[in-house]
């Protein structure tokens, strides 16, 4: 395949290590999250001799991958990881799988043992290409030093286009040897005959979709992470406003449409709102945008929305009709496709069935009145702090503007339910893989970019311990993250399932008095640690944590919450979307 | 399907079947054209929905250039069988007749050991293998896996 190359006349000859760093600069990289080691030393030496890319030294390679991932989710730009061979490479796997499941552009550069030692069980050798194969969008093993810039250009192209995802570049040590010099050429344009991702959806399918939308009596717009990754919020919001249809958002789609929009019914699915799930179940038309009918959404696919016709817009044809058959499949990017739909709607002047829509909204309002998300959490009356109240206060004090980065478990669901996201890329969480330990490092990838709004980790005493070593990295780079830990002294979501389905037998979900003093732990890393357990302390302490005097500090706020609280609503296993537990003793 | 003839491309293809719980009934692969492309014939089974999912997932692999389900059109399937047999008492004539009727040939013989070569539709090869034990004892066999091509003007090429 033909490539067009850019040749730098000033520095025509360089080593593979220098070419790698230079190619990353040409690809627009600002930060690398990494950890050095034997096979990566040539590359680290090349990094030392330049000042255009800042390298962030992590404490564990998994955390490096989550940092790159968090950076990518918040900025929309690919995050870059650099690790050594063997354990350095294998430690990134959970992070790569996390990015893969949520379609996040991350580039992982792993050093490898010298090419002629591959396959000999050399020191710190692992087959990174093989190990990562099931969880990458693509991977490259560099077999000639002069091919490094091309591999970088292709990796960035593949990671960001089509359905985004992680790409691994495995580079044997001899490819970066300073003794081997060659002319640097970076391809200005990448062309691959076997990879041609779609752009705007097919016009015929778009027309069919509009016909269905305008004829619908009980429509729902079902929005997933693809609308956020595809930067389609503006186009989506104008479509929603124009049609006046109810909108439900997946865990990954929160913020794609403002939670405060009149049309928003909040999150759907396993812990979605009653009205969102009921609307989905009773709809006669579902327009899915960048969502994939995940099992945490549909519950039992055989009982899913029995009367609904489906329009499914997705960049990945394999996601369409995978779980639920689509009546109108549209393969394309959300942004240009929705723009086209808006244009056609305006031009034609056609309107939805307003009478049917009014009746549909009346039903939805009745659902919302009957069993909408519980809001009446007392601030001081209870004996224990309610976790939902913490999130409500967090929203109030940060004025809904924070980057909220969560770990995985009950706290994640409370944050998703009660921090109402009005903007895309503000809610950062591991939705697909459900990776505990994601929160703190992902927040660090965002905090590095010095955003104007606070970066908050909502976590629990379980998840935070899975990457707590990164408190040291936060100290090194002065990252003023606010850690809000909902400490219920148990693996809360596991315990909730054990309460509901296993007769309350808490098998290995409690710590038997072994938890550390998190405030003291944070202090030992040089940060500020605070522990509270009295409801009356919550508001004043939260206000102090987010006050101007704390703006430059990492604060670890360990909040002892009601240990018996469950997340509701909760889908009843095997049922339809209308089958929910609404509290400990109420079912639909 | 047509696959870039690059290191790791075949591993990705086969790995996908394992990762997603699909079966490979037969696999045949070799470089074609200018050698930069591999032509792969995979035989697998499933209902329409499953086959559609397999094709879509394979298409997502960066190195897959083109893929078609040739069973959607009239097509030709061929497989090569090499089989080594020890002949039962004085059944040479019967063996020669059987091989001739199947359009095959004897490519090696050494006393009562014969190596046979037959190309044909997989079902024809299966029935030959069923008929052989009456004449000879099967010692060893190797099958190429099925190769396929559509009939008429429709082609799968770069």
């Amino acid at each position: 395949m033909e490539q067009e190359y850019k040749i730098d006349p000033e520095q025509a000859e360089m080593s593979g290590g220098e070419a790698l760093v230079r190619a990353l600069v040409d690809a627009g990289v600002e930060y690398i999250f990494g950890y050095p080691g034997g096979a990566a030393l040539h590359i680290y030496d090349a990094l030392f001799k330049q000042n255009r890319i800042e390298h962030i030294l992590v404490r564990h390679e998994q955390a490096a991958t989550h940092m790159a991932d968090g950076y990518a989710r918040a900025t929309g730009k690919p995050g870059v990881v650099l690790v050594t061979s063997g354990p350095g490479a294998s430690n990134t796997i959970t992070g790569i799988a996390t990015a893969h499941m949520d379609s996040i552009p991350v580039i992982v550069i792993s050093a490898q043992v010298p090419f002629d030692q591959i396959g000999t069980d050399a020191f710190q050798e692992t087959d990174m290409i093989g190990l990562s194969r099931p969880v990458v969008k693509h991977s490259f093993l560099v077999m000639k030093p002069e091919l490094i810039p091309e591999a970088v250009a292709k990796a960035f192209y593949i990671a960001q286009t089509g359905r985004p995802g992680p790409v691994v570049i495995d580079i044997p040590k001899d490819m970066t040897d300073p003794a081997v010099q060659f002319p640097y050429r970076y391809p200005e344009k990448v062309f691959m005959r076997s990879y041609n991702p779609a752009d705007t959806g097919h016009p015929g399918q778009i027309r069919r979709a509009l016909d269905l939308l305008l004829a619908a009596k009980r429509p729902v717009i079902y929005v997933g992470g693809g609308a956020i990754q595809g930067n389609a919020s503006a186009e989506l919001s104008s479509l929603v406003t124009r049609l006046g249809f109810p909108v439900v958002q997946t865990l990954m789609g929160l913020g794609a449409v403002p939670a405060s929009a009149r049309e928003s019914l909040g999150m759907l699915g396993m812990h979605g709102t009653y009205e969102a799930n009921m609307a989905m179940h009773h709809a006669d038309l579902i327009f899915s945008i960048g969502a994939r009918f995940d099992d945490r959404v549909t519950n039992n696919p055989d009982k899913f929305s029995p009367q609904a016709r489906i329009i499914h817009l997705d960049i990945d044809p394999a996601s369409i009709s995978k779980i639920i058959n689509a009546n109108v499949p549209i393969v394309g990017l959300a942004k240009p496709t929705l723009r086209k739909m808006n244009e056609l709607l305006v031009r034609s002047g056609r309107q939805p069935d307003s009478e049917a829509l009014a009746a549909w909204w009346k039903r939805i309002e009745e659902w919302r009145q009957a069993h909408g998300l519980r809001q009446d959490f007392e601030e001081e009356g209870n004996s224990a702090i309610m976790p939902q109240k913490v999130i409500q206060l967090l929203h109030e004090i940060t004025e809904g503007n924070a980057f909220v980065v969560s770990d995985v478990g009950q706290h994640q669901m409370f944050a998703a339910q009660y921090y109402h996201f009005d903007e895309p890329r503000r809610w950062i969480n591991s939705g697909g893989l459900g990776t505990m330990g994601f929160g703190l490092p992902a927040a660090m990838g965002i905090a590095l970019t010095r955003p104007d709004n606070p970066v908050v980790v909502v976590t629990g005493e379980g998840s935070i311990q899975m990457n707590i070593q990164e408190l040291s990295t936060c100290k090194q780079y002065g990252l003023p993250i606010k850690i809000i830990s909902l400490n219920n002294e148990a693996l809360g979501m596991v315990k909730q399932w054990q309460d509901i389905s296993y007769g309350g037998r808490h098998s290995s979900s409690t710590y038997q008095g072994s938890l550390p003093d998190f405030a003291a732990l944070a202090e030992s890393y040089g940060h500020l640690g605070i522990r509270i357990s009295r409801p009356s302390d919550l508001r004043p302490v939260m206000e102090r944590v987010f006050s101007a005097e704390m703006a430059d500090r990492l604060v670890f706020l360990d909040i002892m919450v009601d240990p018996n609280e469950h997340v509701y609503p909760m889908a009843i296993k095997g049922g339809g979307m209308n089958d929910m537990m609404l509290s400990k003793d109420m079912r639909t | 399907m047509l696959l870039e003839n690059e290191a790791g491309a075949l591993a990705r293809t086969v790995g996908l079947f394992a990762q997603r719980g699909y079966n490979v009934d037969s696999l045949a692969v070799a470089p074609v054209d200018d050698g930069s492309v591999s032509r792969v014939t995979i035989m697998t089974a499933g209902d329409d929905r499953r086959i559609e999912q397999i094709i879509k997932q394979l298409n997502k692999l960066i190195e897959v250039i083109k893929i078609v389900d040739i069973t959607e059109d009239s097509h030709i399937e061929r497989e090569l069988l090499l089989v080594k047999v020890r002949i039962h008492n004085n059944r040479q004539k019967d063996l020669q007749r059987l091989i001739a009727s199947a359009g095959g040939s004897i490519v090696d013989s050494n006393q009562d050991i014969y190596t046979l070569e037959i190309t044909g539709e997989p079902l024809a090869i299966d029935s030959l293998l069923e008929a052989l034990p009456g004449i000879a004892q099967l010692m060893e066999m190797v099958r190429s896996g099925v190769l396929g091509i559509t009939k008429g003007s429709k082609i799968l090429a770069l």
Side-chain angles (χ1 to χ4, degrees), chain A residues 133-134 138-139 163 192-195 316-318 320-324, chain B residues 4 6-7 11-12 19 36-37 49 53 56-57 60 62-65 158:
Chain A
R133 188 182 299 124
H138 197 56
S139 50
R163 180 176 179 173
M192 300 172 79
R193 65 178 172 185
S194 62
Y195 179 65
D316 176 11
I320 298 176
S321 298
K322 182 175 69 175
I323 310 288
I324 302 290
Chain B
E4 293 287 358
E6 286 171 1
R12 252 184 260 278
Q19 286 151 36
S36 71
V37 191
R49 194 188 172 104
Q53 217 6 249
K56 283 173 168 180
Q57 294 293 350
K60 272 171 77 172
I62 303 294
E63 289 129 333
V64 170
I65 303 168
L158 284 182

mmCIF file of all heavy atoms in Angstrom, chain A residues 133-134 138-139 163 192-195 316-318 320-324, chain B residues 4 6-7 11-12 19 36-37 49 53 56-57 60 62-65 158:
data_model
loop_
_atom_site.group_PDB
_atom_site.id
_atom_site.type_symbol
_atom_site.label_atom_id
_atom_site.label_comp_id
_atom_site.label_asym_id
_atom_site.label_seq_id
_atom_site.Cartn_x
_atom_site.Cartn_y
_atom_site.Cartn_z
ATOM 1 N N ARG A 133 -4.628 -10.176 22.382
ATOM 2 C CA ARG A 133 -5.422 -10.314 21.153
ATOM 3 C C ARG A 133 -6.939 -10.209 21.354
ATOM 4 O O ARG A 133 -7.611 -9.493 20.619
ATOM 5 C CB ARG A 133 -5.062 -11.614 20.425
ATOM 6 C CG ARG A 133 -5.711 -11.712 19.042
ATOM 7 C CD ARG A 133 -5.384 -13.011 18.356
ATOM 8 N NE ARG A 133 -3.969 -13.181 18.147
ATOM 9 C CZ ARG A 133 -3.254 -14.223 18.588
ATOM 10 N NH1 ARG A 133 -3.831 -15.191 19.246
ATOM 11 N NH2 ARG A 133 -1.971 -14.286 18.344
ATOM 12 N N PRO A 134 -7.503 -10.915 22.361
ATOM 13 C CA PRO A 134 -8.976 -10.853 22.488
ATOM 14 C C PRO A 134 -9.508 -9.509 22.977
ATOM 15 O O PRO A 134 -10.705 -9.297 22.928
ATOM 16 C CB PRO A 134 -9.287 -11.942 23.524
ATOM 17 C CG PRO A 134 -8.037 -12.708 23.717
ATOM 18 C CD PRO A 134 -6.907 -11.822 23.338
ATOM 19 N N HIS A 138 -6.836 -3.749 17.517
ATOM 20 C CA HIS A 138 -5.798 -4.260 16.627
ATOM 21 C C HIS A 138 -4.460 -4.201 17.352
ATOM 22 O O HIS A 138 -4.337 -3.551 18.383
ATOM 23 C CB HIS A 138 -5.740 -3.420 15.347
ATOM 24 C CG HIS A 138 -4.996 -4.107 14.233
ATOM 25 N ND1 HIS A 138 -5.340 -5.347 13.780
ATOM 26 C CD2 HIS A 138 -3.923 -3.730 13.497
ATOM 27 C CE1 HIS A 138 -4.518 -5.709 12.799
ATOM 28 N NE2 HIS A 138 -3.657 -4.749 12.611
ATOM 29 N N SER A 139 -3.454 -4.885 16.795
ATOM 30 C CA SER A 139 -2.124 -4.811 17.401
ATOM 31 C C SER A 139 -1.056 -4.939 16.330
ATOM 32 O O SER A 139 -1.303 -5.504 15.262
ATOM 33 C CB SER A 139 -1.949 -5.898 18.465
ATOM 34 O OG SER A 139 -2.321 -7.166 17.959
ATOM 35 N N ARG A 163 -15.588 2.210 15.222
ATOM 36 C CA ARG A 163 -15.833 2.028 16.652
ATOM 37 C C ARG A 163 -14.489 2.094 17.341
ATOM 38 O O ARG A 163 -13.641 1.219 17.124
ATOM 39 C CB ARG A 163 -16.498 0.674 16.903
ATOM 40 C CG ARG A 163 -16.777 0.421 18.370
ATOM 41 C CD ARG A 163 -17.513 -0.891 18.561
ATOM 42 N NE ARG A 163 -17.760 -1.135 19.973
ATOM 43 C CZ ARG A 163 -18.501 -2.126 20.426
ATOM 44 N NH1 ARG A 163 -19.045 -2.982 19.584
ATOM 45 N NH2 ARG A 163 -18.686 -2.294 21.714
ATOM 46 N N MET A 192 -5.512 2.016 4.426
ATOM 47 C CA MET A 192 -5.463 0.562 4.589
ATOM 48 C C MET A 192 -6.602 -0.028 3.772
ATOM 49 O O MET A 192 -7.764 0.273 4.025
ATOM 50 C CB MET A 192 -5.612 0.194 6.066
ATOM 51 C CG MET A 192 -4.515 0.793 6.926
ATOM 52 S SD MET A 192 -4.818 0.551 8.687
ATOM 53 C CE MET A 192 -4.300 -1.156 8.833
ATOM 54 N N ARG A 193 -6.260 -0.867 2.815
ATOM 55 C CA ARG A 193 -7.304 -1.386 1.916
ATOM 56 C C ARG A 193 -8.314 -2.254 2.655
ATOM 57 O O ARG A 193 -9.432 -2.438 2.194
ATOM 58 C CB ARG A 193 -6.671 -2.178 0.772
ATOM 59 C CG ARG A 193 -5.943 -3.437 1.222
ATOM 60 C CD ARG A 193 -5.370 -4.212 0.049
ATOM 61 N NE ARG A 193 -4.528 -5.309 0.523
ATOM 62 C CZ ARG A 193 -3.814 -6.090 -0.271
ATOM 63 N NH1 ARG A 193 -3.821 -5.891 -1.573
ATOM 64 N NH2 ARG A 193 -3.081 -7.064 0.234
ATOM 65 N N SER A 194 -7.909 -2.795 3.806
ATOM 66 C CA SER A 194 -8.805 -3.710 4.517
ATOM 67 C C SER A 194 -9.605 -3.014 5.614
ATOM 68 O O SER A 194 -10.331 -3.653 6.355
ATOM 69 C CB SER A 194 -7.990 -4.849 5.131
ATOM 70 O OG SER A 194 -7.072 -4.314 6.068
ATOM 71 N N TYR A 195 -9.465 -1.685 5.743
ATOM 72 C CA TYR A 195 -10.139 -0.986 6.851
ATOM 73 C C TYR A 195 -10.745 0.322 6.344
ATOM 74 O O TYR A 195 -10.024 1.279 6.080
ATOM 75 C CB TYR A 195 -9.132 -0.718 7.972
ATOM 76 C CG TYR A 195 -9.712 0.030 9.151
ATOM 77 C CD1 TYR A 195 -10.694 -0.545 9.940
ATOM 78 C CD2 TYR A 195 -9.271 1.308 9.477
ATOM 79 C CE1 TYR A 195 -11.231 0.138 11.015
ATOM 80 C CE2 TYR A 195 -9.789 2.001 10.561
ATOM 81 C CZ TYR A 195 -10.776 1.410 11.323
ATOM 82 O OH TYR A 195 -11.311 2.088 12.395
ATOM 83 N N ASP A 316 -20.865 0.218 14.552
ATOM 84 C CA ASP A 316 -20.390 -1.162 14.462
ATOM 85 C C ASP A 316 -21.522 -2.078 13.983
ATOM 86 O O ASP A 316 -22.454 -2.358 14.735
ATOM 87 C CB ASP A 316 -19.902 -1.612 15.845
ATOM 88 C CG ASP A 316 -19.488 -3.074 15.851
ATOM 89 O OD1 ASP A 316 -19.381 -3.671 14.759
ATOM 90 O OD2 ASP A 316 -19.276 -3.614 16.949
ATOM 91 N N PRO A 317 -21.459 -2.542 12.727
ATOM 92 C CA PRO A 317 -22.546 -3.392 12.226
ATOM 93 C C PRO A 317 -22.748 -4.647 13.080
ATOM 94 O O PRO A 317 -23.868 -5.167 13.177
ATOM 95 C CB PRO A 317 -22.103 -3.764 10.806
ATOM 96 C CG PRO A 317 -20.749 -3.211 10.600
ATOM 97 C CD PRO A 317 -20.418 -2.284 11.726
ATOM 98 N N ALA A 318 -21.682 -5.117 13.732
ATOM 99 C CA ALA A 318 -21.801 -6.335 14.538
ATOM 100 C C ALA A 318 -22.636 -6.108 15.800
ATOM 101 O O ALA A 318 -23.092 -7.062 16.419
ATOM 102 C CB ALA A 318 -20.416 -6.866 14.907
ATOM 103 N N ILE A 320 -25.422 -4.412 15.716
ATOM 104 C CA ILE A 320 -26.815 -4.306 15.268
ATOM 105 C C ILE A 320 -27.395 -5.708 15.081
ATOM 106 O O ILE A 320 -26.769 -6.563 14.458
ATOM 107 C CB ILE A 320 -26.896 -3.481 13.962
ATOM 108 C CG1 ILE A 320 -26.397 -2.052 14.223
ATOM 109 C CG2 ILE A 320 -28.319 -3.473 13.420
ATOM 110 C CD1 ILE A 320 -26.338 -1.167 13.004
ATOM 111 N N SER A 321 -28.580 -5.924 15.649
ATOM 112 C CA SER A 321 -29.249 -7.229 15.580
ATOM 113 C C SER A 321 -28.422 -8.352 16.216
ATOM 114 O O SER A 321 -28.595 -9.509 15.878
ATOM 115 C CB SER A 321 -29.602 -7.603 14.134
ATOM 116 O OG SER A 321 -30.503 -6.668 13.593
ATOM 117 N N LYS A 322 -27.534 -8.017 17.125
ATOM 118 C CA LYS A 322 -26.768 -9.054 17.839
ATOM 119 C C LYS A 322 -27.633 -9.685 18.926
ATOM 120 O O LYS A 322 -27.676 -10.902 19.066
ATOM 121 C CB LYS A 322 -25.500 -8.448 18.453
ATOM 122 C CG LYS A 322 -24.622 -9.470 19.168
ATOM 123 C CD LYS A 322 -23.317 -8.876 19.655
ATOM 124 C CE LYS A 322 -23.528 -7.890 20.781
ATOM 125 N NZ LYS A 322 -22.254 -7.381 21.342
ATOM 126 N N ILE A 323 -28.332 -8.850 19.707
ATOM 127 C CA ILE A 323 -29.158 -9.339 20.811
ATOM 128 C C ILE A 323 -30.639 -9.210 20.452
ATOM 129 O O ILE A 323 -31.412 -10.137 20.645
ATOM 130 C CB ILE A 323 -28.883 -8.518 22.107
ATOM 131 C CG1 ILE A 323 -27.381 -8.425 22.386
ATOM 132 C CG2 ILE A 323 -29.655 -9.084 23.286
ATOM 133 C CD1 ILE A 323 -26.724 -9.681 22.853
ATOM 134 N N ILE A 324 -31.007 -8.027 19.956
ATOM 135 C CA ILE A 324 -32.406 -7.737 19.599
ATOM 136 C C ILE A 324 -32.435 -7.377 18.121
ATOM 137 O O ILE A 324 -31.653 -6.524 17.670
ATOM 138 C CB ILE A 324 -32.950 -6.551 20.436
ATOM 139 C CG1 ILE A 324 -32.847 -6.858 21.941
ATOM 140 C CG2 ILE A 324 -34.387 -6.207 20.015
ATOM 141 C CD1 ILE A 324 -33.779 -7.921 22.459
ATOM 142 N N GLU B 4 -5.307 -10.054 4.709
ATOM 143 C CA GLU B 4 -3.928 -9.593 4.502
ATOM 144 C C GLU B 4 -2.982 -10.709 4.942
ATOM 145 O O GLU B 4 -3.153 -11.274 6.022
ATOM 146 C CB GLU B 4 -3.634 -8.334 5.331
ATOM 147 C CG GLU B 4 -4.396 -7.088 4.906
ATOM 148 C CD GLU B 4 -3.885 -6.478 3.603
ATOM 149 O OE1 GLU B 4 -2.907 -6.992 3.020
ATOM 150 O OE2 GLU B 4 -4.507 -5.495 3.147
ATOM 151 N N GLU B 6 -0.356 -11.255 6.606
ATOM 152 C CA GLU B 6 0.558 -10.639 7.572
ATOM 153 C C GLU B 6 0.656 -11.507 8.819
ATOM 154 O O GLU B 6 -0.284 -12.252 9.129
ATOM 155 C CB GLU B 6 0.029 -9.251 7.986
ATOM 156 C CG GLU B 6 0.218 -8.206 6.903
ATOM 157 C CD GLU B 6 -0.491 -6.887 7.221
ATOM 158 O OE1 GLU B 6 -1.102 -6.791 8.304
ATOM 159 O OE2 GLU B 6 -0.429 -5.982 6.377
ATOM 160 N N ALA B 7 1.780 -11.355 9.533
ATOM 161 C CA ALA B 7 1.967 -12.128 10.759
ATOM 162 C C ALA B 7 0.822 -11.853 11.721
ATOM 163 O O ALA B 7 0.454 -10.710 11.946
ATOM 164 C CB ALA B 7 3.297 -11.739 11.407
ATOM 165 N N ALA B 11 -4.004 -15.969 13.198
ATOM 166 C CA ALA B 11 -4.237 -16.207 14.627
ATOM 167 C C ALA B 11 -5.447 -15.411 15.102
ATOM 168 O O ALA B 11 -6.256 -15.893 15.896
ATOM 169 C CB ALA B 11 -3.002 -15.820 15.434
ATOM 170 N N ARG B 12 -5.568 -14.174 14.618
ATOM 171 C CA ARG B 12 -6.714 -13.338 14.985
ATOM 172 C C ARG B 12 -8.023 -13.964 14.495
ATOM 173 O O ARG B 12 -9.034 -13.947 15.189
ATOM 174 C CB ARG B 12 -6.558 -11.961 14.344
ATOM 175 C CG ARG B 12 -6.219 -10.876 15.317
ATOM 176 C CD ARG B 12 -6.189 -9.540 14.596
ATOM 177 N NE ARG B 12 -4.840 -9.142 14.282
ATOM 178 C CZ ARG B 12 -4.024 -8.558 15.153
ATOM 179 N NH1 ARG B 12 -4.434 -8.308 16.369
ATOM 180 N NH2 ARG B 12 -2.809 -8.227 14.814
ATOM 181 N N GLN B 19 -12.946 -17.252 20.855
ATOM 182 C CA GLN B 19 -13.426 -16.264 21.832
ATOM 183 C C GLN B 19 -14.935 -16.169 21.849
ATOM 184 O O GLN B 19 -15.531 -15.890 22.879
ATOM 185 C CB GLN B 19 -12.897 -14.869 21.475
ATOM 186 C CG GLN B 19 -11.436 -14.653 21.759
ATOM 187 C CD GLN B 19 -10.863 -13.622 20.800
ATOM 188 O OE1 GLN B 19 -11.530 -12.661 20.424
ATOM 189 N NE2 GLN B 19 -9.637 -13.830 20.377
ATOM 190 N N SER B 36 0.345 -11.034 -1.298
ATOM 191 C CA SER B 36 0.070 -10.145 -0.167
ATOM 192 C C SER B 36 -1.271 -10.496 0.484
ATOM 193 O O SER B 36 -1.618 -9.951 1.526
ATOM 194 C CB SER B 36 0.041 -8.681 -0.625
ATOM 195 O OG SER B 36 -1.111 -8.420 -1.405
ATOM 196 N N VAL B 37 -2.009 -11.386 -0.146
ATOM 197 C CA VAL B 37 -3.336 -11.758 0.335
ATOM 198 C C VAL B 37 -3.411 -13.256 0.571
ATOM 199 O O VAL B 37 -2.851 -14.032 -0.205
ATOM 200 C CB VAL B 37 -4.414 -11.419 -0.722
ATOM 201 C CG1 VAL B 37 -5.801 -11.551 -0.132
ATOM 202 C CG2 VAL B 37 -4.196 -10.053 -1.284
ATOM 203 N N ARG B 49 -28.847 -16.133 11.777
ATOM 204 C CA ARG B 49 -28.451 -15.066 12.691
ATOM 205 C C ARG B 49 -27.003 -15.246 13.165
ATOM 206 O O ARG B 49 -26.233 -14.299 13.238
ATOM 207 C CB ARG B 49 -29.413 -15.114 13.885
ATOM 208 C CG ARG B 49 -29.383 -13.904 14.760
ATOM 209 C CD ARG B 49 -30.225 -14.192 15.988
ATOM 210 N NE ARG B 49 -30.054 -13.105 16.925
ATOM 211 C CZ ARG B 49 -30.983 -12.166 17.107
ATOM 212 N NH1 ARG B 49 -32.101 -12.193 16.436
ATOM 213 N NH2 ARG B 49 -30.774 -11.209 17.981
ATOM 214 N N GLN B 53 -23.706 -12.947 12.392
ATOM 215 C CA GLN B 53 -22.847 -12.430 13.463
ATOM 216 C C GLN B 53 -21.384 -12.810 13.208
ATOM 217 O O GLN B 53 -20.483 -11.982 13.370
ATOM 218 C CB GLN B 53 -23.332 -13.040 14.772
ATOM 219 C CG GLN B 53 -23.347 -12.267 16.058
ATOM 220 C CD GLN B 53 -23.023 -10.811 16.116
ATOM 221 O OE1 GLN B 53 -21.984 -10.472 16.663
ATOM 222 N NE2 GLN B 53 -23.856 -9.924 15.632
ATOM 223 N N LYS B 56 -20.036 -10.589 10.475
ATOM 224 C CA LYS B 56 -19.820 -9.220 10.959
ATOM 225 C C LYS B 56 -18.597 -9.129 11.865
ATOM 226 O O LYS B 56 -17.816 -8.183 11.781
ATOM 227 C CB LYS B 56 -21.051 -8.750 11.728
ATOM 228 C CG LYS B 56 -22.230 -8.350 10.856
ATOM 229 C CD LYS B 56 -23.421 -8.089 11.766
ATOM 230 C CE LYS B 56 -24.567 -7.403 11.053
ATOM 231 N NZ LYS B 56 -25.684 -7.191 12.014
ATOM 232 N N GLN B 57 -18.447 -10.104 12.750
ATOM 233 C CA GLN B 57 -17.301 -10.076 13.659
ATOM 234 C C GLN B 57 -15.998 -10.253 12.887
ATOM 235 O O GLN B 57 -14.996 -9.595 13.182
ATOM 236 C CB GLN B 57 -17.430 -11.155 14.746
ATOM 237 C CG GLN B 57 -18.590 -10.935 15.722
ATOM 238 C CD GLN B 57 -18.418 -9.708 16.608
ATOM 239 O OE1 GLN B 57 -17.347 -9.092 16.651
ATOM 240 N NE2 GLN B 57 -19.475 -9.342 17.307
ATOM 241 N N LYS B 60 -14.886 -7.148 11.252
ATOM 242 C CA LYS B 60 -14.303 -6.144 12.144
ATOM 243 C C LYS B 60 -12.797 -6.303 12.287
ATOM 244 O O LYS B 60 -12.116 -5.363 12.690
ATOM 245 C CB LYS B 60 -14.941 -6.252 13.537
ATOM 246 C CG LYS B 60 -16.203 -5.434 13.683
ATOM 247 C CD LYS B 60 -16.899 -5.737 14.979
ATOM 248 C CE LYS B 60 -16.240 -5.081 16.170
ATOM 249 N NZ LYS B 60 -17.092 -5.268 17.380
ATOM 250 N N ILE B 62 -9.194 -6.020 11.458
ATOM 251 C CA ILE B 62 -8.600 -5.015 10.572
ATOM 252 C C ILE B 62 -8.033 -5.665 9.318
ATOM 253 O O ILE B 62 -8.094 -5.096 8.227
ATOM 254 C CB ILE B 62 -7.487 -4.236 11.330
ATOM 255 C CG1 ILE B 62 -8.038 -3.587 12.597
ATOM 256 C CG2 ILE B 62 -6.822 -3.205 10.418
ATOM 257 C CD1 ILE B 62 -9.051 -2.499 12.408
ATOM 258 N N GLU B 63 -7.482 -6.881 9.413
ATOM 259 C CA GLU B 63 -6.797 -7.476 8.263
ATOM 260 C C GLU B 63 -7.740 -8.186 7.293
ATOM 261 O O GLU B 63 -7.300 -8.643 6.245
ATOM 262 C CB GLU B 63 -5.740 -8.484 8.735
ATOM 263 C CG GLU B 63 -4.536 -7.809 9.378
ATOM 264 C CD GLU B 63 -4.205 -8.391 10.727
ATOM 265 O OE1 GLU B 63 -5.129 -8.916 11.395
ATOM 266 O OE2 GLU B 63 -3.031 -8.325 11.111
ATOM 267 N N VAL B 64 -9.019 -8.309 7.649
ATOM 268 C CA VAL B 64 -9.953 -8.955 6.724
ATOM 269 C C VAL B 64 -10.334 -7.959 5.632
ATOM 270 O O VAL B 64 -10.837 -6.871 5.913
ATOM 271 C CB VAL B 64 -11.210 -9.455 7.472
ATOM 272 C CG1 VAL B 64 -12.288 -9.895 6.485
ATOM 273 C CG2 VAL B 64 -10.830 -10.606 8.396
ATOM 274 N N ILE B 65 -10.063 -8.330 4.371
ATOM 275 C CA ILE B 65 -10.325 -7.415 3.256
ATOM 276 C C ILE B 65 -11.750 -7.612 2.737
ATOM 277 O O ILE B 65 -12.484 -6.652 2.556
ATOM 278 C CB ILE B 65 -9.305 -7.630 2.119
ATOM 279 C CG1 ILE B 65 -7.881 -7.439 2.659
ATOM 280 C CG2 ILE B 65 -9.575 -6.666 0.956
ATOM 281 C CD1 ILE B 65 -6.785 -7.899 1.720
ATOM 282 N N LEU B 158 -9.558 -9.142 -5.154
ATOM 283 C CA LEU B 158 -9.206 -7.760 -4.790
ATOM 284 C C LEU B 158 -9.829 -6.770 -5.754
ATOM 285 O O LEU B 158 -9.937 -7.028 -6.930
ATOM 286 C CB LEU B 158 -7.682 -7.594 -4.801
ATOM 287 C CG LEU B 158 -6.940 -8.197 -3.623
ATOM 288 C CD1 LEU B 158 -5.458 -7.903 -3.761
ATOM 289 C CD2 LEU B 158 -7.446 -7.637 -2.291
#
